[in-house]
Amino acid sequence: MRRRLLTTLPVGLAVLALTTGCGAADMTKQASPFAHAGGGKSVTLSVQSWVGAESNVAVAQYLLEHELGYRVDTVQVDEVPAWDALSQGRVDALLEDWGHPDQEKRYVDDKKTITRAGDLGVTGHIGWFVPTYLVKQHPDITDWRNLNKYASLFRTAESGGKGQLMDGSPSYVTNDKALVKNLKLNYQVVFAGSEAAQITQMKQFAKEKKPFLTYWYSPQWLFKKVPMTEVKLPQYKKGCDADAAKIACAYPRTPLQKYLNADFARSGGKAAEFLKRFRWTTDDQNEVSLMIAQDKLSPDEAAKKWVDSHPAVWKKWLP
């Protein structure tokens, strides 16, 4: 499901992905051979490994190239390494962040190598979901306190006799193992491996009307194809997720944010100003995501189709 025109992950970034994170060495002083590779009219965008983020980049890339005359390179980087790459100048912009307070403090507030670029306009929410057809059979299944009663419905060959809680990529930020433990649930977290693999499994379950319990998030185009209902976890309150090992509450609702490399924000000209202005809705993002993931259009084709039909939206972004 990932875009075909992504540049291959450079060796430097591959190493970065393995060496960054908690306790990583400070590599913010390294020179970058990637960003601004073509001079002042070149922009490098980070692409996260889910289709909504891919949609942001597809539309931004299309407009930067066709309206503002930039060359745009794209690099796929996981969530936390993307912050390190942005700080180093290996990428110029990150268009969809779901909240990384440690990285924000380190790079935005303390080192000042990254600058905030405003809201994306989309509110993200992670949760546990079951297919709506299952809720019609068992209405009380949407309360986490009843999940153990239904654990047998969700057993799979991978879940070791427990109910399966399906997650996507191991690289995603998730509290699920802590939640299962702290809420004393008879479930096993099983990773599908990627967003694409997770979607494939959910669509197959839905086709056969089988039960499934899954970590999932909105905005996401799949809700239009597989109606799902959220399981109510203990209410989120500020600070309830401060200690990762003790988390026993729901995920927060997060206004998704954009970030720019600080040097690029100062010297990136019209491209930097455009990316600061880039702001659209959940419906806009889902429209492009559906074209890429379900209709099998290339990201460039999907972006063109959206741009052609929404001039009133994107013309406000142009500097």
Side-chain angles (χ1 to χ4, degrees), residues 4 24 112 150 180 182 196 219 224 230 234 242 248 269 288 313:
R4 300 303 179 202
K112 303 188 186 308
Y150 294 107
V180 167
N182 296 328
K224 294 181 180 294
E230 187 171 3
V288 179
V313 178

Side-chain angles (χ1 to χ4, degrees), residues 138-196:
H138 307 287
D140 65 342
I141 205 168
T142 58
D143 186 329
W144 71 270
R145 289 167 291 194
N146 296 321
L147 285 177
N148 279 343
K149 181 170 70 171
Y150 294 107
S152 62
L153 289 178
F154 301 110
R155 284 181 192 148
T156 67
E158 293 79 23
S159 63
K162 299 180 178 181
Q164 174 176 284
L165 171 57
M166 180 166 53
D167 276 41
S169 168
S171 71
Y172 292 171
V173 174
T174 169
N175 303 331
D176 288 357
K177 289 185 178 180
L179 283 168
V180 167
K181 178 182 177 181
N182 296 328
L183 296 178
K184 297 178 170 57
L185 298 176
N186 187 30
Y187 285 77
Q188 177 70 38
V189 175
V190 177
F191 290 96
S194 66
E195 183 188 66

Side-chain angles (χ1 to χ4, degrees), residues 82-318:
W83 279 83
D84 303 304
L86 186 61
S87 175
Q88 295 169 23
R90 291 176 178 269
V91 297
D92 295 315
L94 171 62
L95 299 183
E96 181 174 313
D97 182 74
W98 284 64
H100 291 84
D102 291 344
Q103 282 71 30
E104 186 176 357
K105 182 180 185 305
R106 182 184 185 196
Y107 292 131
V108 178
D109 300 331
D110 296 342
K111 295 184 177 296
K112 303 188 186 308
T113 52
I114 294 176
T115 187
R116 298 177 179 89
D119 288 354
L120 176 63
V122 176
T123 296
H125 177 60
I126 296 169
W128 292 0
F129 291 85
V130 291
T132 302
Y133 57 76
L134 185 63
V135 177
K136 292 178 180 178
Q137 301 171 28
H138 307 287
D140 65 342
I141 205 168
T142 58
D143 186 329
W144 71 270
R145 289 167 291 194
N146 296 321
L147 285 177
N148 279 343
K149 181 170 70 171
Y150 294 107
S152 62
L153 289 178
F154 301 110
R155 284 181 192 148
T156 67
E158 293 79 23
S159 63
K162 299 180 178 181
Q164 174 176 284
L165 171 57
M166 180 166 53
D167 276 41
S169 168
S171 71
Y172 292 171
V173 174
T174 169
N175 303 331
D176 288 357
K177 289 185 178 180
L179 283 168
V180 167
K181 178 182 177 181
N182 296 328
L183 296 178
K184 297 178 170 57
L185 298 176
N186 187 30
Y187 285 77
Q188 177 70 38
V189 175
V190 177
F191 290 96
S194 66
E195 183 188 66
Q198 191 177 6
I199 287 173
T200 296
Q201 289 194 29
M202 285 191 280
K203 289 173 73 174
Q204 186 60 38
F205 281 133
K207 182 179 179 181
E208 299 173 6
K209 297 294 183 183
K210 289 184 176 180
F212 65 86
L213 172 67
T214 189
Y215 163 106
W216 204 230
Y217 38 84
S218 62
Q220 226 294 334
W221 64 271
L222 188 65
F223 285 108
K224 294 181 180 294
K225 298 297 179 180
V226 180
M228 288 180 272
T229 303
E230 187 171 3
V231 174
K232 294 179 181 178
L233 294 170
Q235 185 177 359
Y236 176 84
K237 295 180 181 178
K238 188 174 181 179
C240 70
D241 54 357
D243 187 333
K246 296 180 180 178
I247 293 175
C249 60
Y251 291 86
R253 296 188 181 274
T254 307
L256 305 183
Q257 301 296 307
K258 299 171 295 172
Y259 293 90
L260 303 180
N261 171 270
D263 289 339
F264 172 74
R266 288 188 292 267
S267 62
K270 289 185 177 181
E273 185 60 32
F274 165 80
L275 293 171
K276 291 175 186 175
R277 295 183 183 186
F278 185 103
R279 181 183 174 93
W280 62 352
T281 66
T282 297
D283 287 342
D284 290 327
Q285 188 188 83
N286 278 339
E287 185 177 342
V288 179
S289 296
L290 192 64
M291 286 189 277
I292 295 172
Q294 183 69 24
D295 299 340
K296 306 304 181 185
L297 270 65
S298 72
D300 188 67
E301 291 169 336
K304 182 181 187 306
K305 191 170 182 179
W306 185 89
V307 166
D308 287 346
S309 59
H310 296 82
V313 178
W314 60 262
K315 285 186 176 180
K316 297 176 183 177
W317 307 339
L318 298 179

Side-chain angles (χ1 to χ4, degrees), residues 9-83:
L9 189 66
V11 172
L13 282 181
V15 173
L16 176 67
L18 293 173
T19 59
T20 54
C22 296
D26 180 13
M27 294 182 285
T28 59
K29 303 301 182 184
Q30 290 186 357
S32 169
F34 306 113
H36 297 303
K41 297 291 284 185
S42 175
V43 181
T44 303
L45 302 178
S46 172
V47 187
Q48 313 302 81
S49 60
W50 53 88
V51 72
E54 185 177 356
S55 299
N56 304 326
V57 171
V59 170
Q61 177 175 6
Y62 186 89
L63 290 170
L64 282 165
E65 291 178 342
H66 293 272
E67 295 293 327
L68 297 177
Y70 283 82
R71 193 196 84 199
V72 179
D73 297 313
T74 59
V75 181
Q76 186 169 326
V77 196
D78 287 338
E79 288 183 77
V80 173
W83 279 83

